[in-house]
Amino acid sequence: MGYISIVTTVTAALSLALPASADGIYTKSSPVLQVDAKNYDKLIARSNHTSILEFYAPWCGHCQNLKPAYEKAAKSLNGLAKVAAINCDEETNKPFCGSMGVQGFPTLKIIRPSKKSGKPVVEEYQGPRSAKGIVDAVVDKIPNHVKRVGDKSLHDWLKEGNTTSKAILFSDKGTTSALLKALAVDYLGAIQVAQIRDKEKAAVEMFGITSFPTFVLLPGGNRESIVYQGEMKKAPMILFLSQIAKPNPDPAPPKSKSPKKPSHDEKKEQKRSAQDSSTFSAASASHASAEASETAAGATSVVLDDTANPTKSPDPIVQPEGAPHPVPVPAVPAPIPTLATHEELRKACLGAKSSTCLLALLPAPPETDKVLSEEATTALASLGTLAEKHAQRKAKLFPFYAVPAQNPGAGQMRELLGLKGDTEIELLAVNARRVWWKRYEGTGYGHEAIEGWIDAIRLGEGTKKKLPGDLVIHDDEKHEEHDEL
C-alpha cells in the first residue's frame, strides 16, 4: 500500500461523523433564553416585557464571537428584560426565521409589547455588538408605566382609585430606572407605581421621607403605608409587593378557545410560511466566499445568499413493527487533496496571485510502519470533516491541502518559517498574494478547535506574520522554470 493510500485509509478511519442537525451555541445553563418557532408566541410575543432576540446559526463565526457579550448582556438584564436566541439552522425554525425577515447572521431584533396583545412592535437592533450597547438599547425600550407625581398632582393621584394598591419610589434622580419600569410591568393592573423627586417638598414631608431612595407601599383604603427596608433589587422588592398582590404571570396563561377552521387570511399565512421556509433553507446553505471574508474582515454578520435552489426532503421510510434497527454507519468524509510535488505546492498556494490556502505539513512517518502519528491522522480527519461540512452547505472556503514530508517544498517551508523538524504536524494558513502566514497553535486537533482557528482567519482576527519572499513564486520565475530542460 502506498504512502498516500495509507493517509487516506487512516484519515477515513478516524473521521468524525457529521451531525444530522446543528446544535445550538447556548447551553442549558446559559443566561440566554432559548426559544423556538413553537414557543416564541408564548414566551416573547405575548409577554409584557421587552425582549431582544438573536437569530443565529451554529456554523456562523460572527455568532460565536457575539456569544460572550450576549450572555453578559443577559446577566445584566436579568429580571428587567428577556435576552433570547433562536437557532435558525433547525429545520423547524426556518419558516419562522424567514417570516421575520432574517437575511444574515447574527440578526438581533428588539421586541416590545404594543397595545394589541400578541402583536408586538419588532425593530432590528443596529447598535454596537457589545454587552453595554445591547443593554442600553434594550433598557431604552422597556415600557414605562411609572407615573411621575409632584406636589400638585399627588392629591389627585392618591384619590384616583383609592382602593387600588399603589407603590411610590422617592428618588433624588430625575430619570426612571429600568428596575422601577420592570416592577411596574410585573404589577401592571394590580399595583400603580409612581416616582416622586426629592424636590417635591410637600410630598416628601407628607410621607416623612428622610433618605433617598425610599420605596413605599400603599395597600389601599384606610390601611397604613409600609416602608420597604431591603436592597433596591428586584427579587426582594417583588417579595415585598407580593404581600398585597402577586405579579402578573409571564408568560400569560393561554386563553381557551374552541377549535375553528382556518380563515382565508390564515391559509394565506400558512402558504407564505411554507414559501419562507424554502427560501430561507436555501439561503442559509451558502456562505460568503473566502476572499469576501478577508475583504470584509471587520464585518459582524454573515449575509445570506437567497439565490440557492431549495430541495425537498425525502419521504420517511416506515419500518415494520418488530423489525431490527439497522446499525448507523458514521459518515466518512473524503480526504483532503494532497500536494505531492514542489511544483504542485507552488502552483496551488505560493504563486504571487495565490489566495489563502490551509496547508497540513505532514510529519515523516517512522521507517518501521510508514503510518502517520495520531495527531496527524486526527488533524487530517478533522480537516476532511470541515471541508465536507462546508461543501454540503454549498459554502465557499479557502482550500485545504495535505503536504507530505517527501515534498521538498514542505522542508523549505519549515526551514524558512522557523518551524520544528519534520517529526510534528504543522497547520499553516498562507496567502502569497497578501504575503502573510499564520500557524495553528491550538490545543489538540479536533474539528471544533481547528474550526475556531479557521473562523478567526476568515474574520481577520489575530496576528499574521510576513511570508518570506523566497517562498513566493513570481511570474518571471515560472517562465524561467518552464524554459529549463
Side-chain angles (χ1 to χ4, degrees):
M1 182 182 291
Y3 176 72
I4 301 303
S5 299
I6 293 175
V7 172
T8 302
T9 303
V10 177
T11 300
L14 294 179
S15 63
L16 304 175
L18 291 173
S21 61
D23 293 328
I25 62 177
Y26 297 102
T27 63
K28 291 182 179 179
S29 60
S30 172
V32 175
L33 174 66
Q34 296 166 73
V35 303
D36 55 37
K38 292 182 179 179
N39 61 23
Y40 164 80
D41 187 67
K42 180 177 72 172
L43 297 179
I44 305 295
R46 295 188 179 278
S47 175
N48 288 329
H49 289 278
T50 294
S51 304
I52 184 166
L53 180 58
E54 176 194 4
F55 298 82
Y56 75 92
W59 45 259
C60 167
H62 299 296
C63 304
Q64 295 282 357
N65 291 338
L66 177 64
K67 179 181 176 182
Y70 201 60
E71 289 190 318
K72 185 177 180 181
K75 292 178 181 178
S76 299
L77 291 168
N78 182 33
L80 307 178
K82 295 184 179 182
V83 178
I86 182 168
N87 181 359
C88 292
D89 217 30
E90 288 288 346
E91 289 297 329
T92 53
N93 294 333
K94 287 181 179 179
F96 172 74
C97 294
S99 69
M100 293 292 283
V102 175
Q103 296 181 336
F105 300 127
T107 291
L108 300 177
K109 292 182 182 283
I110 297 177
I111 303 160
R112 54 189 173 89
S114 68
K115 293 181 180 180
K116 191 173 182 180
S117 177
K119 301 292 182 182
V121 177
V122 180
E123 53 188 291
E124 189 158 335
Y125 171 71
Q126 301 283 8
R129 300 298 174 95
S130 64
K132 185 180 184 304
I134 292 169
V135 170
D136 289 347
V138 174
V139 165
D140 188 57
K141 300 297 181 180
I142 296 176
N144 190 359
H145 300 289
V146 179
K147 177 79 172 179
R148 300 305 295 265
V149 177
D151 288 342
K152 295 180 180 179
S153 58
L154 177 61
H155 178 75
D156 291 337
W157 182 71
L158 291 174
K159 188 177 179 181
E160 175 187 311
N162 186 42
T163 57
T164 304
S165 301
K166 296 178 173 65
I168 306 173
L169 178 69
F170 290 88
S171 173
D172 56 359
K173 300 184 184 300
T175 57
T176 303
S177 68
L179 171 57
L180 194 62
K181 290 179 183 179
L183 284 172
V185 169
D186 283 321
Y187 285 92
L188 188 63
I191 298 177
Q192 296 180 29
V193 180
Q195 181 170 330
I196 298 178
R197 282 293 305 273
D198 55 342
K199 298 177 181 180
E200 307 296 332
K201 301 300 183 183
V204 169
E205 185 177 346
M206 176 188 293
F207 286 92
I209 305 302
T210 57
S211 62
F212 304 91
T214 295
F215 193 51
V216 179
L217 174 59
L218 309 178
N222 297 322
R223 289 177 288 179
E224 293 291 326
S225 60
I226 308 169
V227 178
Y228 174 66
Q229 302 293 343
E231 289 185 283
M232 292 295 173
K233 293 185 177 180
K234 189 177 181 184
M237 293 177 79
I238 286 281
L239 188 62
F240 172 70
L241 295 175
S242 294
Q243 61 187 308
I244 298 300
K246 292 182 179 181
N248 297 318
D250 190 83
K255 296 180 180 179
S256 59
K257 51 185 177 181
S258 57
K260 62 177 182 178
K261 294 182 179 180
S263 64
H264 177 68
D265 290 341
E266 288 172 334
K267 288 181 179 179
K268 288 176 63 178
E269 177 63 25
Q270 290 172 359
K271 184 178 180 180
R272 187 175 67 85
S273 178
Q275 293 172 342
D276 288 335
S277 176
S278 296
T279 303
F280 186 84
S281 298
S284 65
S286 177
H287 278 286
S289 67
E291 282 302 302
S293 297
E294 289 181 303
T295 304
T300 57
S301 64
V302 177
V303 178
L304 300 178
D305 178 8
D306 61 0
T307 59
N309 294 321
T311 58
K312 288 186 177 181
S313 299
D315 293 332
I317 300 174
V318 180
Q319 293 285 351
E321 188 174 352
H325 293 286
V327 177
V329 179
V332 178
I336 62 175
T338 299
L339 303 177
T341 67
H342 200 174
E343 176 62 23
E344 289 177 350
L345 174 60
R346 288 178 166 185
K347 184 177 179 181
C349 300
L350 297 179
K353 297 181 180 179
S354 299
S355 299
T356 304
C357 291
L358 193 153
L359 301 176
L361 303 185
L362 303 179
E367 291 295 331
T368 55
D369 52 15
K370 296 288 184 181
V371 175
L372 290 173
S373 65
E374 182 179 351
E375 290 81 4
T377 52
T378 301
L380 287 172
S382 296
L383 291 172
T385 297
L386 295 173
E388 184 164 317
K389 174 181 175 181
H390 286 82
Q392 287 180 348
R393 289 172 173 162
K394 299 180 181 178
K396 295 181 180 179
L397 188 63
F398 41 78
F400 303 165
Y401 297 108
V403 184
Q406 292 90 331
N407 185 330
Q412 182 191 32
M413 291 192 74
R414 287 179 184 268
E415 181 181 354
L416 293 177
L417 299 179
L419 303 175
K420 301 175 184 177
D422 62 0
T423 59
E424 303 288 340
I425 185 170
E426 294 284 357
L427 299 185
L428 309 175
V430 298
N431 189 310
R433 181 161 62 87
R434 297 186 178 180
V435 200
W436 61 258
W437 70 284
K438 188 172 183 178
R439 180 189 183 199
Y440 173 73
E441 297 178 338
T443 303
Y445 293 96
H447 73 284
E448 292 183 355
I450 295 177
E451 186 173 30
W453 177 63
I454 291 172
D455 284 342
I457 294 171
R458 292 178 59 249
L459 297 173
E461 297 175 351
T463 303
K464 299 182 179 71
K465 297 181 180 179
K466 185 176 181 180
L467 194 67
D470 291 344
L471 284 177
V472 181
I473 307 302
H474 298 280
D475 290 338
D476 54 348
E477 295 179 61
K478 290 182 180 179
H479 291 310
E480 290 176 6
E481 285 185 3
H482 290 183
D483 292 337
E484 291 179 355
L485 295 176

